[in-house]
Amino acid sequence: MTLAAAGEAAATPPALPRLPGELTVERLASGLTVALLVNPQAPVVSTALWYRAGTRDEPAGHGGIAHFLEHMMFKGSARFGLGEVDRRTQALGGANNAFTGHDATVYYFQFAADRWQAALEMEADRMAGLLLDPEQVESERRVILEEIAMYEDDPWDALTQRVEAELYGPHPYGRPVLGTAAELLATGTEELRAFHRRVYTPGNAVLVVAGDLGEPARALEAVERAFAPVPPSAATPERPTAPARPARSGLARIERRKGEVGRMFLALPAPAADHPDFAPLRLAAAVLGVGRSSRLYRELVDEAQRCAWAGTGLADAPDPGAFAVTAELVSGTEPSLVEEAVLRQLGELAASAPSEAELERAREVLFADWTFGHERISQQGLTAGSDLTLFRPGWSEDQVGRLAEVGAEDVRRVAERYLGQPAADGAGGGVLGWSLPNRMAGA
């Protein structure tokens, strides 16, 4: 390579991370959206069935019903009786699971490429013919009540729920996905059946099939055959309008006494994921608290050794979310010193743009996280499903691409708008939660 050619290569920006595979999207006559992500990197196929059915879709007084129904989807349907979904999956050497969030509920399978259509049969059957046996409803209610008690007993989970409830107020993002014990006790077989009938329909679902599919047309035919017995959607259910989170000034404070070490959770209002400020705010989060080279990690963990770890996070949601700073303190550390350092770091980024070198390091960390996070076909399928269910096709890749366009002044500007002086009246406001060790007897 000549010196000129080497110079041109150095000046060429690196290729942006992309979702592997070739994506095609079809909508069946029943209303079901089908996404085929062809990627023969390994002889496996992962399916992910997304329902637009989360905490935000729950009827009043029945919080946690979306999560309750997720459990019941494994408790028997017309063709596959109690426990049969798990037994058949294991017998075929596959894996399955599910999760519920505020915006959606997701069911996924992973099989070898020569037997993946078994997932379609099970998904179609429980979409159309879920049994909801009353005895199983009662049994599973007890399981979830224990799960709620475990969350309330865990210092981090309990603190997170308290902070989010305070930050979001009446918005569904402030409600626990599991619901409360009282709501769970008020939810029975008929409520579950009505919720399933309303939101578990083809027109309210997105099916992603990802991996070594072979010919996409034949894969689509397999989906059409499997879901042919499912009645088509009469209409897609309208999602209820979510109330806005409360406006606030200053920093609300929450303190709990739980566990053996101090834990801090600072949550500040942030824009929705499709807002123009979201990409620069992701980079602000990376500069402050993603990776060992971030500002908070260097100061609080490496240098002052006041925290075992410290980091930041940004909620990736269709409604306005939260920018979070979390830290776990080293035993004996004075919490006020950590709080002071965190607020100072936020203020410094709001006042002065990061250097180009620091910004580039943060960008590379996010690019690497994206690349490593999408090595597995199952995650590739989940990302495609999230895009289609909550945003639009290719949305996640576009968001990664936007990171390459963000400049240092963009980062400073959003830090000033969303992070600067959160404790000052009239300057935004958020919620600062502390979970501190139980006081010693006589202290």
Side-chain angles (χ1 to χ4, degrees):
M1 180 182 290
T2 65
L3 289 177
E8 290 176 3
T12 301
L16 295 174
R18 306 292 295 180
L19 192 65
E22 295 295 327
L23 179 69
T24 60
V25 182
E26 302 283 347
R27 188 173 176 88
L28 304 187
S30 65
L32 179 66
T33 297
V34 180
L36 304 176
L37 183 62
V38 180
N39 181 6
Q41 73 180 51
V44 297
V45 172
S46 178
T47 66
L49 184 57
W50 288 71
Y51 290 99
R52 297 180 183 89
T55 308
R56 68 185 309 141
D57 304 286
E58 296 172 340
H62 298 286
I65 193 172
H67 174 258
F68 197 167
L69 186 58
E70 176 213 314
H71 278 233
M72 295 309 303
M73 288 282 279
F74 292 87
K75 299 302 176 180
S77 56
R79 285 182 56 198
F80 302 99
L82 177 63
E84 188 62 27
V85 167
D86 288 336
R87 285 194 294 271
R88 191 172 188 219
T89 300
Q90 292 169 9
L92 292 172
N96 71 75
N97 213 328
F99 61 88
T100 304
H102 289 96
D103 296 296
T105 303
V106 186
Y107 301 86
Y108 56 95
F109 288 87
Q110 186 163 343
F111 285 112
D114 63 348
R115 62 197 67 181
W116 65 271
Q117 296 179 22
L120 304 181
E121 298 172 0
M122 291 183 277
E123 292 290 24
D125 196 57
R126 59 188 181 180
M127 179 188 285
L130 189 64
L131 292 182
L132 291 172
D133 176 79
E135 289 187 8
Q136 291 303 316
V137 169
E138 293 304 317
S139 174
E140 209 59 29
R141 189 202 314 278
R142 291 192 293 271
V143 171
I144 301 173
L145 287 171
E146 293 177 2
E147 194 176 353
I148 291 172
M150 289 173 59
Y151 268 74
E152 292 173 347
D153 194 51
D154 182 88
W156 268 121
D157 290 335
L159 179 63
T160 299
Q161 290 184 0
R162 287 280 305 278
V163 169
E164 290 179 345
E166 180 70 24
L167 180 71
Y168 290 109
H171 190 282
Y173 290 176
R175 300 201 299 264
V177 171
L178 273 61
T180 65
E183 290 173 316
L184 203 66
L185 291 170
T187 301
T189 302
E190 292 309 312
E191 289 80 12
L192 287 162
R193 182 169 286 114
F195 189 70
H196 180 272
R197 188 181 301 117
R198 178 168 66 88
V199 298
Y200 276 48
T201 65
N204 203 42
V206 173
L207 173 69
V208 180
V209 184
D212 191 9
L213 306 180
E215 176 58 42
R218 298 184 68 176
L220 184 62
E221 289 173 1
V223 173
E224 291 178 316
R225 283 195 305 271
F227 282 84
V230 181
S233 297
T236 301
E238 291 189 13
R239 307 199 85 165
T241 301
R245 65 189 175 198
R248 66 174 73 251
S249 63
L251 199 61
R253 292 177 178 271
I254 292 171
E255 183 176 312
R256 302 180 73 254
R257 292 283 170 176
K258 192 74 174 179
E260 303 299 325
V261 298
R263 298 170 173 87
M264 188 199 76
F265 190 148
L266 171 64
L268 303 173
D274 59 358
H275 192 282
D277 287 344
F278 192 80
L281 197 58
R282 282 184 69 188
L283 278 163
V287 168
L288 286 165
V290 178
R292 299 179 65 91
S293 63
S294 63
R295 295 183 180 186
L296 288 171
Y297 194 97
R298 287 202 314 269
E299 176 174 349
L300 292 173
V301 180
D302 286 344
E303 296 170 5
Q305 297 184 3
R306 291 185 174 128
C307 293
W309 57 264
T312 57
L314 182 60
D316 190 355
D319 278 7
F323 182 103
V325 182
T326 52
E328 190 164 288
L329 278 58
V330 171
S331 180
T333 295
E334 172 57 45
S336 63
L337 297 176
V338 174
E339 179 178 329
E340 177 186 350
V342 168
L343 296 178
R344 173 172 44 76
Q345 288 283 6
L346 297 180
E348 288 179 359
L349 187 59
S352 180
S355 68
E356 289 298 329
E358 186 178 27
L359 181 61
E360 190 58 31
R361 280 197 301 272
R363 204 185 330 262
E364 289 302 319
V365 166
L366 294 180
F367 287 166
D369 285 350
W370 166 271
T371 301
F372 295 143
H374 289 86
E375 287 183 320
R376 300 176 70 89
I377 287 173
S378 57
Q379 184 55 53
Q380 296 164 18
L382 288 173
T383 294
S386 175
D387 285 356
L388 285 161
T389 306
L390 305 180
F391 301 103
R392 55 176 173 76
W395 182 86
S396 294
E397 290 181 342
D398 291 346
Q399 292 301 301
V400 173
R402 290 203 62 223
L403 296 175
E405 304 167 358
V406 174
E409 179 56 26
D410 296 322
V411 173
R412 189 211 62 77
R413 174 184 59 80
V414 298
E416 180 181 32
R417 178 175 180 180
Y418 299 100
L419 313 180
Q421 298 182 339
D425 287 342
V431 181
L432 177 61
W434 280 104
S435 179
L436 300 174
N438 295 310
R439 296 186 185 276
M440 299 294 291

